[in-house]
Amino acid sequence: MTPDEFRKEYVEPAVELWRVNNTVTHLAANSIAQIDALADIVWIAQGRPGEVSAFRNRLGLKEPAIAIIRDACDSHKHGNLRRKDHISGERPAAVTRAGFFLDHSFIGGPPTRYLALVIRKVDGTEQDVSDILSDAMHAWRREFSRLGYGANWLIFGQQH
């Protein structure tokens, strides 16, 4: 299976399914796992010598969103990470937030509460899963372009 076939068959459908069900943690974890697996698929397709971890490290330095995806996937599988260079501390987690929304928040009233999925980083900050997935999909699109895999990407329901 080529990287582009894997992207179309596994990555994009997983991300799209999560997008329309964006508070479901197992769909977020599956999207993260499919995006993470793409690194191995690309590595195999390139027929490069050496360890895939070196490729992943270089890719993570170029594309920080892919490093976050790697860590989130690894922490989902293995629990707390022991690698000194990890960024993310855990799998996706649900949090309750509050904000003002057109047609939902009353003028002068309290913010509307909503559920969001986040990745908590080692430094204690939280990053929305939607931002991470979008950033990682754009990062992979750039990497595919660098590798010469011209492709029309589906990123959050829009062709890129």
Side-chain angles (χ1 to χ4, degrees):
M1 176 173 277
T2 69
D4 200 47
E5 290 168 340
F6 185 85
R7 172 187 63 86
K8 289 176 187 172
E9 189 169 336
Y10 293 98
V11 177
E12 288 178 351
V15 172
E16 277 301 298
L17 185 58
W18 173 81
R19 187 184 66 80
V20 298
N21 300 282
N22 63 10
T23 59
V24 181
T25 54
H26 76 273
L27 294 178
N30 183 53
S31 296
I32 288 166
Q34 298 308 319
I35 293 171
D36 182 61
L38 191 53
D40 292 298
I41 300 300
V42 168
W43 177 258
I44 291 165
Q46 295 294 307
R48 296 178 180 179
E51 293 288 324
V52 69
S53 60
F55 169 68
R56 287 175 166 280
N57 291 342
R58 286 190 306 275
L59 186 57
L61 289 174
K62 269 191 293 192
E63 300 288 359
I66 294 176
I68 293 169
I69 289 286
R70 176 188 185 185
D71 291 346
C73 185
D74 285 353
S75 66
H76 177 66
K77 292 185 293 187
H78 306 294
N80 291 334
L81 298 181
R82 306 242 188 289
R83 287 193 330 261
K84 293 179 182 180
D85 62 343
H86 72 279
I87 298 168
S88 171
E90 62 183 49
R91 66 182 59 94
V95 295
T96 301
R97 294 201 171 148
F100 294 99
F101 298 94
L102 187 61
D103 296 332
H104 291 281
S105 300
F106 297 106
I107 296 174
T112 301
R113 295 169 60 84
Y114 67 96
L115 186 65
L117 294 182
V118 299
I119 297 290
R120 287 192 185 95
K121 295 183 182 177
V122 173
D123 65 7
T125 61
E126 295 177 347
Q127 188 170 359
D128 285 359
V129 168
S130 60
D131 294 338
I132 293 169
L133 292 177
S134 178
D135 292 350
M137 293 294 283
H138 285 289
W140 270 114
R141 187 175 61 109
R142 288 188 295 272
E143 184 64 16
F144 268 46
S145 180
R146 285 189 285 266
L147 294 171
Y149 301 137
N152 189 14
W153 284 72
L154 182 65
I155 301 177
F156 282 29
Q158 298 177 359
Q159 294 293 325
H160 292 269

